[in-house]
Amino acid sequence: QITERIIVLFVVINSQEEVQGKYVVCVLFFLWNLLDVVRYTYNMLARMGIYYLPLTWLNFSLCIPLYPLSVLAKGFAICVSLPYFESFGTYSIKLPFPFTFSIYFPYVLKMYLLVLFAGMCFIIQNLFSERTAHLGTGNIKIKRS
């Protein structure tokens, strides 16, 4: 997760000034911070042995809809930055004669998008299993009298 944020923040957003003013960057930072405030508060209290049920529920339930939204925001930020990387050639490298190999950075970002969305499926599955392990199935059976 830290590597993911470093790539998006410093490589995609920070290197292109045109992308820094887009609304998707604000949305992305808001989603990241919202998830982190809940997660770090829960983890801090859990380390001290304090389990507050609404915070536990919020920690394991809020991340399920917000994580895909943050992945969509990351993907949109990358898509918005692609034309700038193509026009300016930022981070694209052409190696000299013996290698005759070039790295076109927009292709690297497009491959990263595929990995990002494929990884999201595994992480969502893991989030559901963690939620079930900590909160139970959530099925309440009504007793008939």
Side-chain angles (χ1 to χ4, degrees):
Q1 184 179 16
I2 292 172
T3 306
E4 199 175 314
R5 289 185 182 186
I6 287 172
I7 290 171
V8 171
L9 179 62
F10 292 111
V11 174
V12 175
I13 295 171
N14 197 28
S15 67
Q16 301 295 334
E17 288 185 26
E18 295 81 7
V19 178
Q20 294 172 8
K22 304 289 183 185
Y23 290 115
V24 71
V25 175
C26 181
V27 170
L28 183 61
F29 288 158
F30 176 76
L31 290 172
W32 281 350
N33 289 322
L34 184 62
L35 285 168
D36 286 345
V37 163
V38 172
R39 183 176 65 230
Y40 291 143
T41 305
Y42 170 79
N43 288 336
M44 179 187 63
L45 291 175
R47 291 282 179 197
M48 294 188 312
I50 301 170
Y51 293 98
Y52 185 58
L53 188 59
L55 185 62
T56 303
W57 181 88
L58 196 62
N59 180 49
F60 291 106
S61 299
L62 187 68
C63 59
I64 293 172
L66 289 186
Y67 183 75
L69 287 175
S70 71
V71 169
L72 286 174
K74 280 184 252 185
F76 191 69
I78 290 171
C79 288
V80 165
S81 70
L82 279 175
Y84 300 111
F85 281 110
E86 289 172 352
S87 64
F88 298 136
T90 310
Y91 301 127
S92 293
I93 301 169
K94 186 167 185 163
L95 297 175
F97 174 69
F99 301 107
T100 60
F101 182 72
S102 63
I103 298 173
Y104 187 58
F105 193 67
Y107 290 156
V108 173
L109 284 178
K110 289 175 185 176
M111 287 189 303
Y112 178 72
L113 278 174
L114 292 175
V115 171
L116 186 67
F117 285 110
M120 180 185 71
C121 298
F122 292 111
I123 290 178
I124 292 296
Q125 184 180 13
N126 187 32
L127 290 173
F128 272 116
S129 66
E130 281 184 13
R131 185 180 190 280
T132 303
H134 286 276
L135 298 176
T137 58
N139 294 335
I140 300 172
K141 295 184 180 179
I142 300 173
K143 206 180 209 183
R144 292 188 184 196
S145 22

